Amino acid sequence: MKLLFKKTLILFFLILFIGCSDKSKDKIHEEDQLKLNLIESHVEKSKDRSRSKKERKGELIKAYGIVSTLPNSKNKIEGLHAISIVYYSLKDYGKFKYLNLKALDLSKQISDSIKIAKSNGFLGIYYRNKELDSAYKSFKEADKIYLSLDNNLGVDKTEYAYDHGKILLDLAKLSRKVKNYTESEELTVRAIKKFEIAQDETESFLPLSYSNLGTVAKYLGRYDDAVNYHKKSIEYAKNTNKEVRYAIIGNNNIGTVYKSQNRYEDAKKYYNKGLSYKEFLKKRPKRYTLLLDNLAYAKFLSGDNSEKVLDLFYEALRKRDSVNDLVGIATNTLHLAEYYKSVNNDSLAKFFANRAKNTALEVNNNEELLRSYQLLSEISESKVGLDYAKNYIKLNDSLVKEERLFRDKFARIEFETDEMKAENLQISKENQILIIAILGLTALFLLGYIIFRQQQSNKELLFAQTQQEANQEIYRLLLNQQIKLEEGRQLEQHRMSEELHDGVLGRLFGVRLSLDGINQRANDGFTEARNKYIDELKSIEKEIRLISHDLGTEAIPSDVAYIDAVESLISDLCEVNNLHFEFSNDEDIDWEHIDDQKKVNLFRILQESLQNIFKHANAESIKINFDYIEDKINLTILDDGIGFKSNKVKKGIGLKNITSRVSQMSGVVQFLSNNNAGTVVSVSVPV
Amino acid sequence: MIDDHPMIIEGYKNTLLGENQKEYQIKIDIASNCDDAYDNIVKSSESTPYDMLFVDIKLPPSSDGKITSGEDLAKHAKEMLPKAKVIILTMHREDHRIHNILKNINPAGFLIKSDLTSSELLLAFNNIVKGKAYYSATVNDHFRKMMTNKFSLDEKNLKILYHLSRGVKTKNLPNYVSLSLSAIEKRKNQIKEMFSIAKADDQKLLEEARKRGFI
């Protein structure tokens, strides 16, 4: 009843405890959820373009403050990413980089591959307009992670396909920038594949991808493909919010492709197509002027030198000037310079070429700069023209060099990441080998140790065995000696017996018979007296015969040998030590049938005890008994010495030996002693 | 006269050649070992055969090892000199030996040296010459004992009892009696049954054997 009550109580507490812990867990969860909601609302507010930049940044700082209090988790990293994106849109790239570096660090800490890749991707975005090689490196790392995830069967590939596609597209753009068009094309194709399987795309990158493919194809001289790709780009953008944008871009690009093929009519047609989206273009002067400029240039190239064309150029330039579109201005002025050169107006041509050169320098547009140098060298006087030509060559060389440099760098980065992977593999392989080696060595050592121990114990066993054998051998020798002694005596007795019987007795008989014979014939009155002596002789004969018989019949009682050995041991030792002794052996003990080991042990125990008595007991007499009681041999050794306090004396080697010998025979030993009352050692051993 | 002790032969001579023995012409050859004795017997069988042989049991054996005792010698003599009277004279008085000698040789005379006096020797001599057998009192005793027992023990059984009485252990008996240990055990049990003391120990067996005169 009581037990039952106890059990219920324990159960109750257990439930209570579990309940509590569940609650506390929920609490944490709730708290985190609350924080996440707060972060989300702050981020949302920061995205609100109606607010001032300062306000929006304030929201982001608040959001970041909350994110910092979160424990390191997926949620925290996601928060960091969200905040960083808003910073990017606010053009605060420093914060963008800082947050993503932090996100990368944290995701490495929790080894979340997808988040590592994503952070790398963001860092690549940060670098892509500044340091091409760093950007390439970050993107490449992200790509590597995604690729390794592709090989992992347990991961849902659609989850990151979109992000991976973006990374690949960025890489493609980078490759295109360094004029590695084949690689760029390859990367774009991979990106398209990713975008095709991506599920939750917030914004389709397929039009952009195809647009890139088209551009690359144009550079590779595959113009038909280029046109097709651009058309596809327009197709994919249909029914999206960027439909118009891609239509304009696509048409512009197609126009440019045709322009490159010198198919100016087709080019003009597509530029005009682009220009047909007037509503859209009104708000985007850059795009508009680009189309306008391109259209004018196409017309100019097709041989149209009319004022109309010039007007178009100037309209575009004016608009560009008004929005300060420097890139556009550089191209535009270059086109104008070309135009004036064709109508032999060198001074205006020189003016626009110079402006193009300066603007290109300002915006770092090397392509336009190159063209401006080329143009200037053609229209300037020979000396200045030579300088421009030199500049052109120099720039061209440096550009080629730079491109090559970047390509090399990219190649190196790729190689290094590959190498790192190989190295990691190598290291893990080496580690594996090391671990195997250590395990092997440990196993070997253990084995060695075990074998060593085994051998040791074997040796010990062998030693014990040889010792036992030696003991038995000693006993046998002892016994043999005794038996030999006995035999010798026996032999001697026999000899004496025979000698007496055959020799002495025979001669005595002969003498008696002769005497008797002579006596029968003698008549001197002494016959009776002599008869008396002759009878006496006869009785002597009888006596001798009896003695001879006794001597001859004594057989060898072999069991006497052991007791004889024991007795001679006792008497020898006692004689040396001047002690009186009594020894008795129970006749019932069949020594002959007791195994040698026991006999040796008893013999040694006796020897040991006697030594103890001689050394320590100071005794005058000892008494030793072998008794046979209920199938047990009892050996009692009693002395009248000073004794010892049995519980106080530490066991010496002697006593230990005795105890171990007795336990070997599965017997019992007892040491009884009192001060000045002698000592009794009693050993009881089963037969 | 065959005996390895010259003193004993002299004793026989002194007795037989006494003054009261004038009625016989006695010619005596002596031998102190089996070889000499055998040679003499062979010689006499070819010329004048001996009328009477005095044979000691314990003798130095012949050089070829074929004749080891007076017993063997007596057997040969009986073959070669069938008319000769054999008189065995011996120190041995053990029953089994007496039994053996009687059985193997059936001598005309059987005298135990320790019982013997010169008058008895003369008495025996005279009886045997007249064609009467003569046995010492001890031998006669043996006969009597044998008769009183309803059964007799054979030589091997007697030997077993004899050696047992000497203190030889049963397990060592095969060394003394040419039988296996199991055969000896069997015989012992038979003897015990005959004595109707089955399952008694050796001590009892020996006591009974002594009482019945087998030892």
Side-chain angles (χ1 to χ4, degrees), chain A residues 494 498 501-507 509-514 516-518 520-521 538 541 545 549 552-555 557 592, chain B residues 5 7-8 10-12 14-15 17-20 58 91-94 113-119 121 166-169 171:
Chain A
H494 253 281
E498 291 207 343
H501 191 270
D502 300 335
V504 176
L505 214 55
R507 280 167 68 189
F509 163 70
V511 170
R512 175 167 63 81
L513 205 63
S514 297
D516 201 14
I518 294 162
Q520 299 307 318
R521 293 195 298 265
K538 199 173 165 188
E541 269 177 61
R545 206 180 55 248
H549 191 261
T553 52
E554 199 181 325
E592 203 181 345
Chain B
H5 286 95
M7 202 57 221
I8 292 175
E10 209 170 310
Y12 297 155
N14 277 332
T15 302
L17 302 178
E19 286 176 36
N20 48 352
K58 178 131 181 44
M91 278 290 184
H92 298 287
R93 50 187 305 153
E94 295 86 12
K113 285 181 182 169
S114 51
D115 292 347
L116 198 61
T117 58
S118 65
S119 48
L121 181 60
R166 281 181 66 224
V168 175
K169 299 251 168 200
K171 67 170 181 177

Side-chain angles (χ1 to χ4, degrees), chain A residues 18-290:
Chain A
I18 292 168
C20 277
S21 65
D22 265 8
K23 230 179 228 170
S24 65
K25 232 185 213 169
D26 282 352
K27 227 178 190 172
I28 291 168
H29 195 68
E30 263 171 38
E31 213 180 291
D32 282 357
Q33 199 53 51
L34 206 72
K35 282 180 182 173
L36 288 176
N37 289 341
L38 261 174
I39 294 163
E40 209 184 321
S41 80
H42 281 304
V43 171
E44 276 315 308
K45 277 181 199 164
S46 74
K47 282 179 184 168
D48 185 357
R49 283 167 196 265
S50 63
R51 290 162 195 259
S52 74
K53 255 191 179 180
K54 210 173 174 189
E55 265 182 292
R56 288 168 70 187
K57 279 195 182 170
E59 292 295 334
L60 287 179
I61 288 164
K62 276 181 203 164
Y64 181 67
I66 301 162
V67 167
S68 310
T69 64
L70 283 173
N72 191 5
S73 66
K74 221 172 165 172
N75 287 335
K76 187 174 188 173
I77 295 159
E78 272 167 8
L80 286 171
H81 283 156
I83 295 166
S84 78
I85 290 166
V86 183
Y87 270 119
Y88 189 82
S89 69
L90 285 170
K91 301 209 166 82
D92 190 340
Y93 302 121
K95 269 272 184 321
F96 177 72
K97 182 190 175 189
Y98 169 75
L99 289 173
N100 278 305
L101 278 174
K102 188 153 193 160
L104 179 62
D105 191 34
L106 291 175
S107 39
K108 272 180 183 165
Q109 275 176 29
I110 61 167
S111 348
D112 186 330
S113 307
I114 291 181
K115 291 280 176 284
I116 294 171
K118 200 160 183 173
S119 303
N120 266 318
F122 281 130
L123 283 171
I125 289 169
Y126 168 77
Y127 287 120
R128 71 181 168 191
N129 291 321
K130 299 172 185 70
E131 301 166 31
L132 293 190
D133 46 348
S134 298
Y136 189 82
K137 194 172 176 179
S138 296
F139 286 135
K140 205 74 207 177
E141 246 155 53
D143 178 36
K144 284 268 151 67
I145 291 164
Y146 286 131
L147 274 178
S148 72
L149 285 174
D150 277 352
N151 293 329
N152 196 335
L153 291 172
V155 182
D156 180 14
K157 279 160 195 156
T158 57
E159 196 187 319
Y160 57 84
Y162 181 65
D163 287 330
H164 192 190
K166 280 203 285 185
I167 300 288
L168 287 167
L169 195 55
D170 266 313
L171 280 168
K173 283 183 192 166
L174 284 176
S175 298
R176 197 188 82 197
K177 240 178 207 169
V178 299
K179 297 192 175 163
N180 194 345
Y181 299 121
T182 13
E183 196 191 320
S184 177
E185 189 179 27
E186 195 184 307
L187 284 163
T188 316
V189 170
R190 273 176 64 200
I192 288 167
K193 273 184 195 154
K194 285 288 163 190
F195 287 131
E196 272 166 354
I197 62 164
Q199 285 171 331
D200 57 335
E201 41 195 276
T202 44
E203 181 195 340
S204 174
F205 277 91
L206 278 172
L208 186 58
S209 306
Y210 278 108
S211 168
N212 191 51
L213 267 184
T215 313
V216 172
K218 188 197 91 179
Y219 284 121
L220 288 169
R222 298 196 334 257
Y223 297 111
D224 290 347
D225 285 349
V227 172
N228 278 334
Y229 285 140
H230 286 306
K231 277 183 179 163
K232 256 190 188 166
S233 165
I234 296 166
E235 198 68 31
Y236 275 109
K238 261 179 189 161
N239 299 324
T240 70
N241 54 352
K242 297 204 171 167
E243 180 181 348
V244 182
R245 180 189 153 100
Y246 277 107
I248 293 165
I249 295 170
N251 285 320
N252 180 42
N253 284 339
I254 293 168
T256 312
V257 173
Y258 284 131
K259 189 192 77 185
S260 304
Q261 288 178 283
N262 301 333
R263 288 164 62 181
Y264 302 115
E265 288 310 313
D266 290 328
K268 274 192 269 184
K269 195 175 106 193
Y270 278 95
Y271 286 137
N272 277 322
K273 234 184 199 176
L275 281 167
S276 66
Y277 301 95
K278 283 184 176 132
E279 280 302 307
F280 184 84
L281 288 172
K282 259 183 194 167
K283 284 180 213 154
R284 283 155 182 87
K286 280 187 191 175
R287 299 236 175 258
Y288 175 64
T289 49
L290 178 69

Side-chain angles (χ1 to χ4, degrees), chain B residues 154-208:
Chain B
D154 69 4
E155 177 202 344
K156 286 208 162 117
N157 284 353
L158 284 172
K159 253 189 181 172
I160 289 169
L161 285 176
Y162 166 68
H163 288 296
L164 272 177
S165 76
R166 281 181 66 224
V168 175
K169 299 251 168 200
T170 304
K171 67 170 181 177
N172 292 329
L173 274 179
N175 301 334
Y176 297 88
V177 187
S178 51
L179 283 171
S180 73
L181 185 60
S182 61
I184 288 168
E185 291 283 1
K186 229 180 196 172
R187 277 167 180 274
K188 258 171 73 182
N189 284 333
Q190 277 170 358
I191 299 168
K192 280 176 195 170
E193 264 173 42
M194 280 196 266
F195 289 175
S196 47
I197 49 159
K199 281 169 190 167
D201 59 10
D202 287 1
Q203 199 69 36
K204 265 263 176 66
L205 174 68
L206 291 177
E207 264 174 41
E208 191 66 29

Side-chain angles (χ1 to χ4, degrees), chain A residues 309-479:
Chain A
V309 175
L310 195 64
D311 282 349
L312 281 177
F313 277 131
Y314 275 116
E315 193 196 338
L317 183 61
R318 238 190 344 264
K319 270 244 164 82
R320 277 172 164 165
D321 274 336
S322 71
V323 294
N324 199 24
D325 176 10
L326 293 175
V327 179
I329 289 167
T331 318
N332 216 334
T333 47
L334 206 60
H335 287 164
L336 274 169
E338 269 182 59
Y339 177 83
Y340 282 118
K341 187 194 156 213
S342 72
V343 295
N344 294 321
N345 189 341
D346 275 5
S347 60
L348 269 175
K350 217 185 279 174
F351 167 77
F352 280 113
N354 263 320
R355 197 177 163 197
K357 184 197 83 183
N358 292 335
T359 321
L361 276 172
E362 205 175 326
V363 295
N364 260 330
N365 190 334
N366 291 324
E367 237 168 289
E368 303 299 355
L369 184 61
L370 207 60
R371 275 172 66 193
S372 66
Y373 277 138
Q374 194 181 12
L375 207 62
L376 279 169
S377 72
E378 285 166 13
I379 55 180
S380 301
E381 302 88 60
S382 56
K383 204 182 168 196
V384 186
L386 202 65
D387 280 347
Y388 283 125
K390 273 183 189 160
N391 271 345
Y392 170 81
I393 293 163
K394 204 170 142 193
L395 181 63
N396 196 21
D397 281 356
S398 78
L399 281 179
V400 170
K401 221 182 243 168
E402 199 181 12
E403 277 156 12
R404 195 180 296 147
L405 201 72
F406 273 118
R407 278 209 291 274
D408 285 354
K409 265 186 186 166
F410 287 0
R412 200 154 53 235
I413 286 163
E414 185 144 12
F415 173 71
E416 273 167 7
T417 40
D418 280 351
E419 199 178 40
M420 214 141 77
K421 237 160 119 190
E423 215 168 89
N424 279 342
L425 210 71
Q426 182 74 18
I427 285 169
S428 74
K429 221 177 206 173
E430 274 171 12
N431 280 345
Q432 226 168 6
I433 290 168
L434 200 72
I435 286 166
I436 287 168
I438 288 169
L439 279 178
L441 276 176
T442 316
L444 217 69
F445 177 75
L446 267 174
L447 201 75
Y449 182 68
I450 288 166
I451 289 169
F452 176 73
R453 284 295 302 268
Q454 202 72 34
Q455 271 179 348
Q456 209 67 4
S457 67
N458 269 356
K459 262 186 204 161
E460 269 168 39
L461 276 176
L462 219 66
F463 179 68
Q465 204 180 337
T466 46
Q467 203 174 31
Q468 193 171 329
E469 273 169 15
N471 266 345
Q472 270 173 342
E473 187 59 30
I474 288 171
Y475 173 72
R476 257 196 297 281
L477 287 175
L478 206 78
L479 208 63

